[in-house]
Amino acid sequence: MTTARRPPTLEDVAAAAGVSRATASRVLAGTGYAAPVTRDRVTAAADRLGYVPNPAARALVRGSGVRLVVVVAGADATVLDDPYVDRVVGAAARVCAPYGLGVALHWLPTREPAGLRRLAEDRSVGGLVLVNTTEAMLAAIPRALRGRVASIGIGSALVPSFDVDNGGGTAATVRHLYATGRRRIAMVTGPHWLSCAGRSVGAYRQVMSDAGLPVRLVPGDFTARRGRAAAGEVLARWPDTDAIVGISDATALGVIDRLRGAGVGVPGDVAVTGFDDIPLAAMTTPALTTATHPVAQIATAAATAALAGRPAPPVTVFPSRLVRRASG
Amino acid sequence: MTTARRPPTLEDVAAAAGVSRATASRVLAGTGYAAPVTRDRVTAAADRLGYVPNPAARALVRGSGVRLVVVVAGADATVLDDPYVDRVVGAAARVCAPYGLGVALHWLPTREPAGLRRLAEDRSVGGLVLVNTTEAMLAAIPRALRGRVASIGIGSALVPSFDVDNGGGTAATVRHLYATGRRRIAMVTGPHWLSCAGRSVGAYRQVMSDAGLPVRLVPGDFTARRGRAAAGEVLARWPDTDAIVGISDATALGVIDRLRGAGVGVPGDVAVTGFDDIPLAAMTTPALTTATHPVAQIATAAATAALAGRPAPPVTVFPSRLVRRASG
DNA sequence: TTGAAAGCGCTAACAG
DNA sequence: CTGTTAGCGCTTTCAA
């Protein structure tokens, strides 16, 4: 039985290849000159020894950081409970793995965006991905982080933005409802402080006003629970409503549940639409009409940008496609 | 405008407090002796300077690693697409954050569990959380990792196991179906190579045999898609089936969808149950009867154990509770 | 094209 | 109780 050897270091590889540590480093890090022969010898040695570089050491000397922090703004820590956050973190973790990096998840109290400073001071932070971004957060980004921050939501001159075209998706949805004969269309919105959700509301307003129809808005918060309550309010305030646009699929599902409880037929009496196209949207009864939201794609792009270091395009918009199903 | 000062290091704090770096380290790392006065001076200085320790440097000198790797075994990389994986990663990321650590996500080909070695060689890996664990993986764990690995699924003498009591949850579900008059109960299972899914099947078999009822098994894979197809097979092979137990909620939803397509009433003609109690289970029509699966709790416990370093209890089972709703 | 040497920021003996 | 002294594993000038 072989003695429990410690994992090989660059030193070991260098020795095995008969070169200096510096040379081995150049070859393996792919930086700087190296004679082809040397290069081969080093690579071979590394391979034979099963050498795996230590990202911590590398990060230390380069000051490049060793983890990507996903920062979610919200009133309280329960914002982290949203499955959406898990999807972002999961995608980010996949991006990080090959770099030898990891992902951490932090809640940032909406009221104290300055908490970002602490993260910026942490030399182990290689990049930041902002979720539920607000103007205040953008303003609080220390310039030291320039080029290592990406936002899923609104951005700024210093922070590239990655987001779904929820305005387009919502517009398509509302137009579809109009095209299928609905005229008294209400909407359950997202939290008012979230600008990106505002784009959906804006699109709804626009389409409605273009069609000369009245605007009917009820505040929501992306959850099914709130969707249920909101549906009740819609029913109470505008009993003749014939369609409800949900800001999210969860919202829509809550709406449908409440409607059903009230004996209202979906889509017979009231059409209901969502936004996100979660996997289960196709499985519910009635199957949900909704618009796509490529969360994993967006998170992957944002994480990649935050890690890249070089400037990304200021705004990247991912298209949202209407998915017609049975609910509306 | 202040010049862009670099983040303060331990050296700065020590200087500001008028002590040596070693002393400052002892105080801030909370290890070793320190006079109360000194302690206060150091803490104050650190606070004033906004000192944040560099986890990378700390990990380097301690050899403790800087990230927790979630390893998911599967035939191909698409296993990472399961929302379940995102939930595990999200929970792990929350556990890691306060330690200054991050989470990375890796796919491990089922056929080459030896890939774990590479991860073990990586000094930046602080711990491993295994998902979809197989016996082969357990056997491939290098002893160097002892105490820094946790498994969500089956475990071994060296690897503590964290899992839901899916046997108990499934048994409760099947008994419930029996109690409500169902007698020809089929089950859509998980992949055969996954031992933990086997516990559910075992429980089903047990209850059925105790009741003197015939066993009707169709293989599945946790997905709704496969659930749909499986439901078709059940209908074809045993047309008199009056209940179908799904290995997961997604499976059950697929089953229901297929049944509905075939004009079979749920739960009128056939009762359908799931497992997981995903948030949407309460929102579907009919609302899904299922058993709870505290994924976040389990992942949190596993991640904590993998990071703790000290031995954890070999097996931790999280209870699964039957949730009676409309589908069965 | 390569090697020697100097750290990155921190902790851990070991003296004092 | 505190300071001194060595590094952890890697990259990066600077000479050779």
Side-chain angles (χ1 to χ4, degrees):
Chain A
M1 159 182 174
T2 71
T3 163
R5 68 167 200 296
R6 55 153 184 56
T9 70
L10 186 59
E11 184 82 55
D12 300 327
V13 176
V19 301
S20 77
R21 210 174 35 190
T23 302
S25 171
R26 283 187 211 104
V27 173
L28 266 12
T31 164
Y33 303 103
V37 210
T38 319
R39 192 173 294 278
D40 290 349
R41 276 231 304 279
V42 172
T43 323
D47 238 50
R48 182 153 36 80
L49 266 43
Y51 171 69
V52 179
N54 183 337
R58 184 173 284 179
L60 180 56
V61 62
R62 292 211 279 228
S64 57
V66 86
R67 58 201 177 116
L68 181 72
V69 179
V70 174
V71 180
V72 186
D76 54 78
T78 62
V79 283
L80 300 183
D81 296 336
D82 190 330
Y84 171 78
V85 171
D86 287 339
R87 295 222 272 157
V88 171
V89 173
R94 289 168 80 160
V95 172
C96 283
Y99 293 88
L101 301 179
V103 178
L105 177 57
H106 274 276
W107 159 58
L108 183 73
T110 318
R111 335 203 46 145
E112 4 175 353
L116 283 172
R117 282 243 141 66
R118 265 286 189 294
L119 255 15
E121 302 279 67
D122 187 332
R123 306 285 297 193
S124 78
V125 172
L128 250 42
V129 170
L130 272 25
V131 177
N132 285 2
T133 315
T134 62
E135 295 287 358
M137 284 165 75
L138 257 14
I141 298 279
R143 45 173 56 72
L145 246 35
R146 178 191 289 270
R148 299 190 298 152
V149 189
S151 167
I152 297 184
I154 59 169
S156 71
L158 284 73
V159 180
S161 142
F162 297 82
D163 211 347
V164 65
D165 177 18
N166 40 16
T170 303
T173 306
V174 180
R175 277 198 220 96
H176 161 71
L177 289 170
Y178 184 86
T180 51
R182 311 290 171 164
R183 291 297 179 272
R184 294 172 302 278
I185 308 172
M187 176 172 197
V188 179
T189 71
H192 62 280
W193 52 268
L194 202 57
S195 328
C196 55
R199 285 203 308 264
S200 290
V201 179
Y204 160 82
R205 291 195 120 101
Q206 184 68 52
V207 176
M208 295 302 277
S209 103
D210 286 355
L213 296 174
V215 165
R216 298 176 171 185
L217 289 172
V218 172
D221 62 2
F222 295 123
T223 68
R225 184 191 168 74
R226 177 65 203 142
R228 258 207 215 87
E233 294 178 30
V234 170
L235 250 27
R237 293 175 59 184
W238 307 289
D240 65 344
T241 295
D242 61 8
I244 300 181
V245 176
I247 189 81
S248 71
D249 284 353
T251 301
L253 261 11
V255 167
I256 291 176
D257 193 56
R258 179 69 176 75
L259 255 26
R260 183 188 314 133
V264 176
V266 177
D269 302 318
V270 176
V272 178
T273 63
F275 191 98
D276 280 344
D277 193 28
I278 57 177
L280 262 36
M283 300 269 114
T284 58
T285 311
L288 201 59
T289 289
T290 186
T292 57
H293 184 175
V295 176
Q297 262 186 59
I298 296 172
T300 299
T304 304
L307 254 30
R310 58 192 145 71
V315 176
T316 309
V317 175
F318 293 76
S320 173
R321 197 172 37 77
L322 175 68
V323 181
R324 298 186 45 171
R325 296 207 182 89
S327 72
Chain B
M1 160 181 173
T2 71
T3 162
R5 68 168 199 296
R6 55 149 184 59
T9 71
L10 186 59
E11 185 83 54
D12 300 326
V13 175
V19 299
S20 79
R21 210 175 35 191
T23 302
S25 171
R26 282 185 213 109
V27 172
L28 265 12
T31 165
Y33 303 103
V37 210
T38 319
R39 192 174 294 278
D40 290 349
R41 275 230 305 279
V42 173
T43 324
D47 239 50
R48 182 152 37 80
L49 266 43
Y51 171 70
V52 179
N54 184 337
R58 186 174 281 180
L60 180 57
V61 61
R62 293 211 279 227
S64 57
V66 86
R67 58 200 177 116
L68 181 72
V69 179
V70 174
V71 181
V72 186
D76 53 78
T78 62
V79 283
L80 299 183
D81 296 336
D82 190 329
Y84 171 77
V85 171
D86 287 339
R87 296 221 273 156
V88 171
V89 173
R94 289 168 78 159
V95 172
C96 283
Y99 293 88
L101 301 179
V103 178
L105 177 57
H106 274 276
W107 159 58
L108 183 72
T110 317
R111 336 203 43 146
E112 3 177 352
L116 282 172
R117 283 244 139 68
R118 264 287 191 294
L119 255 15
E121 303 279 66
D122 187 333
R123 305 287 296 194
S124 77
V125 172
L128 249 42
V129 170
L130 272 24
V131 177
N132 286 3
T133 316
T134 62
E135 295 287 358
M137 284 165 75
L138 257 14
I141 299 279
R143 46 173 53 73
L145 246 35
R146 177 191 290 269
R148 299 190 298 152
V149 190
S151 167
I152 297 183
I154 58 169
S156 70
L158 286 73
V159 180
S161 143
F162 296 82
D163 210 347
V164 64
D165 177 18
N166 41 16
T170 303
T173 305
V174 181
R175 278 197 219 99
H176 161 71
L177 289 170
Y178 183 85
T180 51
R182 310 291 171 163
R183 291 296 179 273
R184 295 172 302 277
I185 308 171
M187 176 171 198
V188 179
T189 71
H192 63 280
W193 53 267
L194 202 57
S195 329
C196 56
R199 284 204 308 264
S200 290
V201 180
Y204 160 83
R205 289 195 122 102
Q206 184 68 53
V207 176
M208 294 303 276
S209 103
D210 286 356
L213 297 175
V215 165
R216 299 177 170 182
L217 290 172
V218 172
D221 62 3
F222 295 124
T223 68
R225 184 191 168 73
R226 177 64 203 144
R228 258 207 216 86
E233 294 178 30
V234 170
L235 251 26
R237 293 176 58 183
W238 307 287
D240 65 344
T241 294
D242 61 8
I244 300 181
V245 175
I247 189 80
S248 71
D249 284 352
T251 302
L253 261 12
V255 167
I256 291 176
D257 193 56
R258 180 68 176 75
L259 255 27
R260 182 188 315 132
V264 176
V266 177
D269 301 318
V270 175
V272 178
T273 63
F275 191 98
D276 281 342
D277 193 28
I278 57 177
L280 263 35
M283 301 268 114
T284 59
T285 310
L288 201 60
T289 289
T290 186
T292 57
H293 185 175
V295 177
Q297 262 187 59
I298 296 173
T300 300
T304 304
L307 254 30
R310 59 192 144 72
V315 176
T316 310
V317 175
F318 292 75
S320 174
R321 197 171 37 75
L322 175 68
V323 180
R324 298 185 45 173
R325 296 207 182 88
S327 71

